Amino acid sequence: MLLAVWGLASCNSQPERKPRPSPAATARQQRELVRRDSLRADSIARAGAQLPGAVLPDSRIVAFYGNPLHKGMGILGELPKDQMLARLNKQAAEWQRADSLPVRPALHLIAVIAQRDSGADGKYRLALPDSTIRRVIRWGQEHNTLVFLDVQVGLSDLEHELPPLAKYLRLPFVHLGIDPEFSMKSGRRPGTEVGEFDAQDINYARRFLARLVSENRLPPKVLVVHRFRQDMVTNYQDIKLDPRVQIVMHMDGWGTPSIKRSSYRKFIRKEPVEYTGFKIFYRNDRKGESRLMTPREVAALTPAPLYIQYQ
């Protein structure tokens, strides 16, 4: 009888539920996970190794830059999608023939665009609609390319412009570009003078991406920083490295091959950070009697650029 009563009580009893952790406890747990992952990343960095899934330095990225809503902003939006992707594949194949490094094609989308008009909040920038960003990301997914989201902050800053892009940057093949030219710390309208990012800004972007990598167990992110003048990036020596984020200092100026080589020596080679990039302008580099530099010529630069962008 006692056994029967005990059995009945056992069947009717509910399993004890563990209380849900509070939001504060959950946040502490997430911070601890990031801290542990940071320690692991630091140890990897000191050993000179790469985290699994790193794109660089064992591949070279060849990217088309622009915006599908504005034909004049670059090759990405200048041609219809299928023609653009076919030309990207052709350009990537030229690079593959020029050098032994495996080539990774990429779409580099200007996702936040500096504006002539101040806008409702006076920040002189405009984010693309989510539908446009998703469309380009879908192109990248369907055609097995990397995707970069580029940010021109205007009178805003990275602390306000990067968080809305986190939902896209959580995808393993989506990376980030930031453009000092349109970071107007002077308060002037974009386009009236060349802007700047300080090491603090670049370190913020690095920390932002590193946190996404740790929290979502992602392969390392690539961070492209545009540059064509020395004063566009200040205190470069204070930029900190982290194996979760691969920083590319990208030589973004146009001109003759000799001018472009000189700019690369002055602003990229003299102030190294981690990896380097080089930009080719299909139109501007041909002005006057000039011509486009060939993949072999660009690959012969020291250090050899690992991120190549065409506009």
Side-chain angles (χ1 to χ4, degrees):
M1 188 65 168
L2 288 172
L3 288 174
V5 171
W6 180 85
L8 182 61
S10 297
C11 290
N12 289 336
S13 64
Q14 297 295 321
E16 184 179 351
R17 292 183 178 179
K18 294 182 178 179
R20 286 186 177 181
S22 68
T26 300
R28 283 196 299 272
Q29 185 181 33
Q30 288 176 340
R31 285 197 298 270
E32 177 61 18
L33 288 173
V34 172
R35 187 188 72 82
R36 290 179 186 175
D37 219 50
S38 298
L39 292 173
R40 176 171 171 261
D42 289 344
S43 66
I44 289 170
R46 284 194 295 273
Q50 298 290 342
L51 290 171
V55 177
L56 307 174
D58 295 330
S59 298
R60 174 176 280 116
I61 301 166
V62 174
F64 271 13
Y65 173 92
N67 176 348
L69 302 183
H70 299 278
K71 289 187 176 182
M73 296 188 75
I75 187 67
L76 175 58
E78 185 177 340
L79 299 175
K81 181 193 84 168
D82 291 341
Q83 291 182 36
M84 181 271 295
L85 289 168
R87 186 165 178 179
L88 174 60
N89 289 337
K90 182 179 178 181
Q91 193 69 74
E94 287 184 19
W95 271 93
Q96 195 61 78
R97 290 192 295 271
D99 192 72
S100 60
L101 269 181
V103 172
R104 300 286 302 272
L107 302 173
H108 196 122
L109 170 69
I110 314 167
V112 180
I113 308 170
Q115 302 289 301
R116 291 183 178 273
D117 297 323
S118 63
D121 61 0
K123 297 299 183 182
Y124 289 89
R125 55 83 185 93
L126 180 68
L128 284 184
D130 285 348
S131 58
T132 303
I133 297 175
R134 287 196 299 268
R135 177 165 31 129
V136 174
I137 287 175
R138 187 167 63 250
W139 294 351
Q141 197 166 26
E142 291 171 352
H143 295 272
N144 195 30
T145 74
L146 304 174
V147 175
F148 286 79
L149 303 181
D150 207 82
V151 177
Q152 302 174 351
V153 298
L155 269 66
S156 183
D157 52 44
L158 294 174
E159 287 85 347
H160 288 89
E161 302 306 320
L162 294 191
L165 299 177
K167 57 190 173 186
Y168 306 118
L169 291 165
R170 290 188 183 101
L171 296 169
F173 62 95
V174 178
H175 303 270
L176 179 66
I178 57 175
D179 196 342
E181 181 180 0
F182 302 102
S183 171
M184 311 309 295
K185 295 182 183 294
S186 66
R188 298 189 63 184
R189 178 169 58 83
T192 58
E193 64 183 15
V194 175
E196 66 181 70
F197 277 139
D198 187 71
Q200 284 188 324
D201 301 300
I202 297 167
N203 284 333
Y204 169 80
R206 172 187 54 78
R207 291 193 303 271
F208 180 86
L209 291 174
R211 185 166 62 249
L212 288 178
V213 168
S214 292
E215 290 176 348
N216 298 279
R217 299 296 188 264
L218 299 171
K221 292 293 182 184
V222 179
L223 171 61
V224 173
V225 183
H226 300 261
R227 190 178 196 183
F228 58 85
R229 280 181 19 175
Q230 188 167 22
D231 56 1
M232 287 175 68
V233 175
T234 55
N235 299 308
Y236 87 96
Q237 68 279 358
D238 295 330
I239 298 170
K240 306 300 182 186
L241 301 185
D242 185 317
R244 292 169 292 178
V245 181
Q246 302 193 298
I247 300 176
V248 173
M249 295 302 293
H250 175 50
M251 209 294 288
D252 195 6
W254 59 271
T256 64
S258 62
I259 289 174
K260 293 171 77 79
R261 289 190 186 98
S262 175
S263 297
Y264 190 78
R265 287 193 300 269
K266 290 177 182 177
F267 311 133
I268 304 298
R269 183 176 175 179
K270 274 192 176 181
E271 296 193 354
V273 176
E274 189 170 12
Y275 301 107
T276 66
F278 198 88
K279 189 166 188 174
I280 301 291
F281 290 80
Y282 280 125
R283 295 183 185 276
N284 286 355
D285 282 353
R286 287 192 171 107
K287 285 186 175 181
E289 300 298 319
S290 189
R291 62 173 178 81
L292 299 187
M293 291 181 69
T294 68
R296 290 187 188 277
E297 288 176 318
V298 176
L301 295 170
T302 303
L306 295 181
Y307 172 85
I308 310 299
Q309 186 183 93
Y310 287 86
Q311 179 173 342

